Amino acid sequence: MKHGGDLLSYKDLYEGEFIDFSSNINPLGPPKALKEIIYENYHLVEAYPDIKYRKLKKSLSEYLKAPIKNILVGNGSMEIIDSLISKRNKLLVMTPAFSEYTIRARVKNMEIEEFHYEKDFKVDIKKLKGKINSDTILVLANPNNPTANTLKKEELLKIYKKIKEVNGYLVLDEAFYEFTNTDYDSVELFKEYNYENIGIIRAATKFFAIPALRLGYAIVDEKTKENIWTKSLSWNINIFADLAGRFIFKDKKYIKESREYVKREREYLLNKLEEIDWLKAYPSETNFILIKLLKYNEEEIFTFLAKRGILIRKCSSFKSLEDNHIRIAVKFREDNEKLIKYLKEI
Amino acid sequence: MKHGGDLLSYKDLYEGEFIDFSSNINPLGPPKALKEIIYENYHLVEAYPDIKYRKLKKSLSEYLKAPIKNILVGNGSMEIIDSLISKRNKLLVMTPAFSEYTIRARVKNMEIEEFHYEKDFKVDIKKLKGKINSDTILVLANPNNPTANTLKKEELLKIYKKIKEVNGYLVLDEAFYEFTNTDYDSVELFKEYNYENIGIIRAATKFFAIPALRLGYAIVDEKTKENIWTKSLSWNINIFADLAGRFIFKDKKYIKESREYVKREREYLLNKLEEIDWLKAYPSETNFILIKLLKYNEEEIFTFLAKRGILIRKCSSFKSLEDNHIRIAVKFREDNEKLIKYLKEI
């Protein structure tokens, strides 16, 4: 499968309902009140959304502490990534990474260059800088999917400064930002540069658990915002994504609880995985964990777990990971315990 | 205003709630059961929609009586129009027409040629055919917005045959199709041509009264479908548009009632408008009526009605209509009576 969460295809392996570890969505689900908000505002389906999305952008501006003039909204973060990667001719992309970056670059007939992580998914900053020139659109996911590694503030700044120096462009995909415990906020960090040569992607999809609503947003320089927004399709964001975006960011209690829950369960899983000698779990600061299989291939583990009602993400579709890696999401304690129990049985 | 339905901007003219004649949406609203369907399936917001939209396409295939291989779905019909107009270099567009066609062509730096309707919005078919060559992407709305005129079957076939002969491309925008009483169905009509050189746009927006959900679809030749779908953004349609599209087309009772209701009220309005000597109402087969003002300008009529809680569409933003046309939608009888009453007071 190209993406996680495709439960339809495995119904022959298990009769009951799968516990889905393949899709890396906040296990707590969306903020509880969202359902009522959608129901109470259902009548809004009959009118076009505000063509300027004024309330949505105001809500984002307050949440991100960034000026409205720098905020782009889109039909999922994919729409924004698609627009931003056209800013230069050549895509420089980390390997392994989310497959959609290269898919969009291929659609645009762009030149694509892969840059491989070092051992344990470290980035050789000096080598990476050597690849960057004025034609470069560098996409960095922070944390990266599926490896879960994050960039240190100094690393990010070094890369950005090179990008800025040669007038390349950096797309920083922070779709999992809220799960992390990094000691910096890139929106704050790049404010003094007016977001020149950088677009910071965030999304409601993963942390706020609403992939099906399609709400993405980004922070970019003013000129890029105007340029992309002018070319966007009218009413590109549906009313329920619009409504959700006016509400979810204000739910500070939910945000705090989600962060704490995922942190605790991630640590639980990492600790338990360490007890299993036929795998290696990579460090994670987010809601998913990449696992290297030292004795089995992904298919063996996948089938073993699927027969027991657990769905994990095989990683051979990510370039360079071959068939000996799997990715698991952080779920509820009960589910996490079940996963560990079965893994220990292998 | 560039589009109808922008009620926010006129709050200073009237304190109560406006009756909105400016937005041409089915007055009956969406099928009644849709609200429950959305509520009952709310949990689906937590998972990505089916990346292939299999159930949605099957539902459309049954409704349109067209093969799945010919069906394109999009984030509103705008997304599909945007893709289709790239199929040739030069946009040939009727004047007046929906402004978004030229907006999208300008975004793509296309050459744009306007073709003016004759008196009473007749099309000079011979003259139009003279403008068509292999570079031509001709957009025809049927019925056209804001003029409400439809093409006769023979006219449409003549235009299509010229397009096919020179290998141009015809985008036939039938967003208001279900409201009309034409004696042909273009989806059926062009089936024998395998939809070569033609894309027929339909939408759930107007007739099914769900503009805010963003669901558009089109019937195109198989190669065009594959080509555009391959380049589309993943998950471009949100789950509620997807769900709506699996359900609304099956509600035959609602479809019949809506058609009958709009027909009756359209005839009521056209009859009553004929009694007013300072205006001329153009014929209509759809849910809106274009009116030529013979003694006043649009601003005078707009303000007079707005102060009485009625919002109409000024038409000077449509090219060639100047400031002496207004467009009204067909609404509930009570509202239609109110509109006629005020118009007669002028």
Side-chain angles (χ1 to χ4, degrees):
Chain A
M1 57 185 164
K2 203 175 77 178
H3 294 286
D6 187 9
L7 282 75
L8 279 177
S9 314
Y10 302 102
K11 286 290 170 204
D12 48 331
L13 287 170
Y14 185 72
E15 280 199 356
E17 197 151 329
F18 279 109
I19 304 172
D20 184 12
F21 280 85
S22 76
S23 189
N24 41 19
I25 302 293
N26 184 343
L28 299 186
K32 287 293 164 284
L34 183 60
K35 184 173 183 176
E36 280 312 309
I37 285 172
I38 286 180
Y39 202 54
E40 278 163 21
N41 290 284
Y42 170 77
H43 63 280
L44 294 179
V45 299
E46 290 185 49
Y48 281 89
D50 174 16
I51 201 164
K52 292 180 183 165
Y53 296 101
R54 283 165 276 210
K55 288 180 187 169
L56 172 61
K57 285 177 188 167
K58 186 166 174 287
S59 166
L60 280 163
S61 169
E62 286 165 8
Y63 176 57
L64 298 166
K65 300 188 183 71
I68 287 181
K69 66 173 196 242
N70 296 110
I71 294 174
L72 255 181
V73 290
N75 184 33
S77 62
M78 284 313 310
E79 189 178 47
I80 300 176
I81 291 170
D82 187 64
S83 299
L84 286 179
I85 67 168
S86 304
K87 287 187 69 72
R88 297 292 184 277
N89 298 321
K90 199 176 101 181
L91 180 73
L92 181 59
V93 64
M94 304 302 295
T95 303
F98 185 45
S99 57
E100 291 283 337
Y101 309 138
T102 40
I103 290 172
R104 298 319 305 167
R106 248 181 257 124
V107 164
K108 292 165 195 288
N109 294 314
M110 288 168 66
E111 197 186 323
I112 299 170
E113 184 177 355
E114 295 179 353
F115 186 84
H116 289 259
Y117 282 102
E118 305 296 308
K119 191 171 172 296
D120 292 346
F121 308 113
K122 298 280 176 253
V123 184
D124 185 332
I125 302 287
K126 208 177 150 187
K127 205 158 115 190
L128 178 62
K129 281 167 67 181
K131 298 281 183 190
I132 295 168
N133 59 45
S134 61
D135 277 340
T136 304
I137 186 102
L138 170 63
V139 180
L140 281 178
N142 186 41
N144 186 46
N145 175 15
T147 56
N149 60 317
T150 50
L151 288 162
K152 291 197 191 78
K153 184 169 152 182
E154 298 67 41
E155 293 177 318
L156 180 55
L157 279 172
K158 274 182 195 160
I159 297 167
Y160 173 69
K161 280 172 184 164
K162 173 70 183 187
I163 288 271
K164 200 160 176 340
E165 181 195 320
V166 299
N167 199 27
Y169 196 88
L170 175 60
V171 176
L172 190 67
D173 185 351
E174 298 193 328
F176 295 90
Y177 173 75
E178 283 88 346
F179 290 117
T180 64
N181 302 298
T182 44
D183 58 355
Y184 64 92
D185 172 356
S186 54
V187 176
E188 196 189 323
L189 191 62
F190 294 105
K191 192 177 275 175
E192 63 171 300
Y193 301 96
N194 298 314
Y195 308 110
E196 276 163 24
N197 303 82
I198 186 171
I200 303 164
I201 310 280
R202 299 273 172 94
T205 295
K206 305 293 185 178
F207 186 81
F208 294 94
I210 49 172
L213 283 189
R214 317 306 299 133
L215 176 62
Y217 46 97
I219 302 90
V220 296
D221 68 276
E222 199 175 344
K223 214 173 135 189
T224 299
K225 183 253 173 89
E226 277 308 313
N227 192 11
I228 292 180
W229 188 242
T230 308
K231 292 179 179 175
S232 292
L233 295 173
S234 299
W235 312 291
N236 56 341
I237 297 153
N238 71 85
I239 189 68
F240 294 133
D242 179 359
L243 274 174
R246 297 186 222 162
F247 155 72
I248 54 176
F249 308 121
K250 293 182 176 74
D251 193 345
K252 301 302 175 196
K253 188 161 165 278
Y254 165 86
I255 293 173
K256 188 165 177 281
E257 271 172 17
S258 296
R259 286 173 53 89
E260 286 171 2
Y261 193 91
V262 167
K263 185 168 188 280
R264 189 171 64 239
E265 288 310 303
R266 176 177 66 223
E267 281 166 11
Y268 168 82
L269 280 168
L270 286 169
N271 280 332
K272 292 290 173 190
L273 288 167
E274 212 162 279
E275 296 167 6
I276 302 171
D277 61 359
W278 53 265
L279 60 78
K280 173 188 174 173
Y282 289 97
S284 167
E285 286 210 38
T286 183
N287 67 324
F288 58 87
I289 297 168
L290 182 71
I291 293 171
K292 187 172 184 174
L293 307 172
L294 304 174
K295 267 174 72 179
Y296 308 97
N297 65 41
E298 58 174 18
E299 205 57 48
E300 291 169 310
I301 302 300
F302 179 87
T303 310
F304 179 87
L305 291 170
K307 282 179 178 167
R308 285 150 183 87
I310 285 179
L311 209 64
I312 54 155
R313 177 72 151 89
K314 295 182 273 189
C315 289
S316 57
S317 65
F318 289 101
K319 255 195 168 164
S320 89
L321 287 188
E322 293 150 12
D323 69 345
N324 61 340
H325 289 80
I326 58 168
R327 191 191 68 195
I328 58 165
V330 172
K331 304 280 289 177
F332 286 120
R333 173 61 60 100
E334 192 190 344
D335 300 332
N336 297 335
E337 280 172 348
K338 211 172 273 178
L339 172 70
I340 294 294
K341 174 175 162 282
Y342 289 133
L343 286 176
K344 287 191 170 176
E345 280 177 16
I346 294 176
Chain B
M1 60 185 163
K2 205 175 75 175
H3 294 288
D6 187 8
L7 282 76
L8 277 178
S9 313
Y10 301 103
K11 285 290 169 205
D12 46 332
L13 288 170
Y14 184 73
E15 278 199 357
E17 198 151 327
F18 279 109
I19 304 171
D20 184 12
F21 280 85
S22 77
S23 190
N24 41 19
I25 302 291
N26 184 344
L28 299 186
K32 287 293 164 287
L34 183 59
K35 185 174 183 174
E36 279 313 309
I37 285 171
I38 287 180
Y39 202 52
E40 278 163 21
N41 290 284
Y42 170 77
H43 62 280
L44 295 178
V45 299
E46 291 184 48
Y48 281 88
D50 174 16
I51 202 163
K52 292 179 183 165
Y53 297 102
R54 283 164 276 211
K55 288 179 186 169
L56 172 62
K57 285 176 187 166
K58 185 164 175 289
S59 166
L60 279 164
S61 169
E62 287 164 8
Y63 176 58
L64 298 166
K65 299 187 184 69
I68 287 180
K69 66 173 194 242
N70 297 110
I71 293 174
L72 254 180
V73 289
N75 183 33
S77 62
M78 284 313 310
E79 189 177 49
I80 300 175
I81 291 171
D82 187 64
S83 299
L84 286 178
I85 67 167
S86 305
K87 287 187 69 71
R88 297 294 182 276
N89 297 321
K90 198 176 99 180
L91 180 73
L92 181 59
V93 63
M94 304 301 294
T95 304
F98 186 44
S99 57
E100 291 282 338
Y101 309 138
T102 40
I103 290 172
R104 298 321 302 167
R106 248 180 259 125
V107 163
K108 292 165 195 289
N109 295 315
M110 289 169 67
E111 198 185 322
I112 299 170
E113 185 178 353
E114 296 178 354
F115 186 84
H116 289 260
Y117 282 102
E118 305 295 308
K119 194 170 169 300
D120 292 345
F121 309 113
K122 299 279 176 256
V123 184
D124 184 332
I125 302 287
K126 209 176 150 189
K127 207 158 113 190
L128 177 62
K129 281 166 66 180
K131 297 281 182 189
I132 295 169
N133 60 46
S134 62
D135 277 341
T136 304
I137 184 102
L138 170 63
V139 180
L140 280 179
N142 186 40
N144 186 47
N145 175 16
T147 57
N149 60 316
T150 51
L151 288 161
K152 291 197 191 78
K153 185 169 151 182
E154 298 68 40
E155 293 177 319
L156 180 56
L157 279 171
K158 276 183 195 160
I159 297 167
Y160 173 70
K161 279 173 183 163
K162 172 70 183 186
I163 288 271
K164 201 160 175 342
E165 181 196 320
V166 298
N167 198 26
Y169 197 88
L170 175 59
V171 176
L172 190 66
D173 185 351
E174 297 194 327
F176 295 90
Y177 173 75
E178 284 87 348
F179 290 117
T180 65
N181 302 297
T182 45
D183 58 355
Y184 65 93
D185 172 355
S186 54
V187 176
E188 195 188 322
L189 191 62
F190 295 105
K191 192 176 274 174
E192 62 172 299
Y193 301 96
N194 298 315
Y195 309 108
E196 276 163 23
N197 303 82
I198 186 171
I200 302 165
I201 309 280
R202 299 272 172 97
T205 296
K206 305 291 187 179
F207 186 81
F208 295 94
I210 49 171
L213 282 189
R214 317 304 301 133
L215 176 62
Y217 46 98
I219 302 90
V220 295
D221 69 276
E222 198 176 345
K223 214 173 135 190
T224 299
K225 183 250 173 88
E226 277 308 312
N227 192 12
I228 292 181
W229 189 244
T230 308
K231 293 180 179 174
S232 292
L233 295 173
S234 299
W235 312 292
N236 55 341
I237 297 152
N238 71 85
I239 188 67
F240 294 132
D242 179 358
L243 274 173
R246 295 187 224 162
F247 155 73
I248 54 176
F249 308 121
K250 294 182 175 75
D251 193 346
K252 301 301 176 197
K253 189 161 165 275
Y254 164 87
I255 294 173
K256 188 164 176 283
E257 272 172 15
S258 296
R259 285 174 53 89
E260 287 171 0
Y261 193 91
V262 166
K263 185 167 187 281
R264 190 171 64 239
E265 290 309 304
R266 176 176 66 222
E267 281 165 13
Y268 168 81
L269 279 169
L270 286 169
N271 280 332
K272 292 292 174 187
L273 289 168
E274 212 164 279
E275 297 167 5
I276 303 172
D277 61 359
W278 54 264
L279 59 77
K280 173 186 175 175
Y282 289 97
S284 168
E285 284 209 39
T286 181
N287 67 326
F288 57 88
I289 298 169
L290 182 69
I291 294 172
K292 186 172 182 175
L293 307 172
L294 305 174
K295 266 173 72 178
Y296 307 97
N297 65 42
E298 60 173 16
E299 204 57 49
E300 289 170 311
I301 303 300
F302 180 87
T303 309
F304 179 88
L305 291 170
K307 282 179 177 167
R308 285 152 183 84
I310 285 179
L311 210 64
I312 55 156
R313 177 73 149 88
K314 293 182 275 187
C315 288
S316 58
S317 66
F318 289 102
K319 253 193 171 167
S320 88
L321 288 187
E322 293 150 12
D323 69 345
N324 61 340
H325 289 80
I326 58 169
R327 190 191 70 195
I328 58 165
V330 171
K331 304 280 289 180
F332 287 120
R333 173 61 60 98
E334 192 192 343
D335 300 332
N336 297 335
E337 281 173 347
K338 213 174 272 179
L339 173 69
I340 294 294
K341 175 176 161 283
Y342 290 134
L343 287 176
K344 287 190 168 177
E345 281 176 15
I346 294 176

